Amino acid sequence: MEFVLSLLLQTALVPVVVSVVVVTTMNRIPRLVTASAAVAPGIAFFAGWAMQEWTTLQPVRYIDWCPYVALALGSIVLAIAAGLPQKMMWPLVVATCIAAAWLLVPNFPRLKPPRPQAIGLVAVTSILFVAATRPIAGRFSPRFLTACLMATGTAASVVLAQSFSLKFAQLMGILTAGLAGNLFYVKRSSDSSFVWMSLVFMPILINLMFIGYAGSPSQVPILCYAILPCAPIMMWTSIFFQREDTPSPKELTVALVAVGVVLLIAVYPAVMAHPPWASE
């Protein structure tokens, strides 16, 4: 029991508390309100990383760059909110996603695809998935969007755990817990707030899923890794019903069902690949 409580403290409680504190503090500064959605998860992830016994703040391995990538992604939004021209955002996002892939994609001898192609694949995927959230931004409340991303992160942790990538599953849990502060972000979001919130979440999610796939000896299907990032994008489905600023109950229901179906499609094969009850 002591071990379980310690694990929960290190994995969930610390990033949740840090996230809430950062969001609450930044929401008191009008100029930085919209940046809190991205800055809080980055800082919370760094704090959660620092709490782990097996991590280091001095990068040695590829995965050691993860907290610094999270801080860099959040810093882009903070710089924009502080006055950096908006036209600089996407060049910085593209550059940071490429740098993140270059730092985080492992140099395994038998990596498939080979590392140069893998870096390009992960970087382009990260950029596309961040960009694909933009048409959805502003239509849903920050709480709804946060809940969808947290559900995606939880499902990703399950898939990684089933892949025997327990450390990466723990990191995914830290990143997911770091979103909790955005549940307190009650003001109406701007058109870019969801893009900014997902800017930290999506690149790290995609990098962790690729690492889990590349280094896993398990029988978890590749579909499980590939389809998870699609879950938040499935909120697109609600757009085809009505184009009002505020989604109707029908739109919200369709969005929730679409996200849930994608998560189920990803998680179910992963669980069945190594059923927990099979060892009993």
Side-chain angles (χ1 to χ4, degrees):
M1 179 60 71
E2 183 178 350
F3 170 76
V4 173
L5 291 176
S6 175
L7 188 64
L8 288 174
L9 174 66
Q10 294 178 349
T11 302
L13 184 57
V14 169
V16 166
V17 171
V18 171
S19 178
V20 171
V21 170
V22 172
V23 168
T24 302
T25 302
M26 293 186 69
N27 278 346
R28 296 179 181 274
I29 306 174
R31 194 172 183 178
L32 302 181
V33 167
T34 56
S36 65
V39 173
I43 295 177
F45 184 78
F46 190 95
W49 171 278
M51 287 291 295
Q52 308 307 308
E53 295 180 356
W54 53 274
T55 59
T56 176
L57 294 179
Q58 181 178 354
V60 177
R61 305 163 300 162
Y62 62 93
I63 196 64
D64 296 336
W65 290 101
C66 220
Y68 297 101
V69 168
L71 288 179
L73 291 167
S75 297
I76 293 174
V77 182
L78 184 61
I80 297 296
L84 192 70
Q86 286 277 350
K87 63 182 181 181
M88 292 296 298
M89 179 179 177
W90 281 109
L92 287 172
V93 169
V94 170
T96 306
C97 286
I98 294 173
W102 184 77
L103 290 168
L104 296 177
V105 170
N107 190 22
F108 294 156
R110 298 183 179 180
L111 184 66
K112 293 183 180 180
R115 191 169 188 272
Q117 289 91 324
I119 291 173
L121 175 65
V122 172
V124 170
T125 302
S126 299
I127 294 166
L128 289 177
F129 273 87
V130 171
T133 60
R134 194 172 189 87
I136 315 169
R139 290 183 56 82
F140 298 96
S141 73
R143 287 177 175 172
F144 181 87
L145 302 176
T146 299
C148 288
L149 290 182
M150 292 185 76
T152 303
T154 301
S157 293
V158 173
V159 171
L160 288 169
Q162 288 295 107
S163 304
F164 309 136
S165 304
L166 297 181
K167 289 183 178 180
F168 302 131
Q170 194 170 358
L171 291 179
M172 196 66 241
I174 293 172
L175 180 64
T176 302
L179 292 171
N182 291 333
L183 296 174
F184 295 85
Y185 182 52
V186 296
K187 295 184 179 180
R188 180 65 180 171
S189 64
S190 67
D191 288 342
S192 59
S193 65
F194 183 32
V195 175
W196 289 0
M197 181 163 58
S198 66
L199 177 57
V200 174
F201 182 84
M202 295 301 287
I204 295 181
L205 167 71
I206 291 168
N207 273 279
L208 287 178
M209 296 309 292
F210 179 80
I211 296 169
Y213 160 72
S216 174
S218 74
Q219 301 300 316
V220 173
I222 187 175
L223 176 68
C224 298
Y225 306 97
I227 198 174
L228 267 170
C230 296
I233 310 303
M234 289 307 295
M235 286 182 290
W236 267 87
T237 54
S238 66
I239 294 178
F240 295 107
F241 282 87
Q242 298 178 8
R243 297 189 177 274
E244 299 175 357
D245 290 338
T246 303
S248 66
K250 185 176 182 179
E251 286 182 296
L252 291 175
T253 301
V254 170
L256 283 173
V257 170
V259 171
V261 168
V262 172
L263 295 180
L264 183 61
I265 292 173
V267 171
Y268 180 76
V271 173
M272 295 307 296
H274 306 283
W277 55 86
S279 59
E280 295 180 358

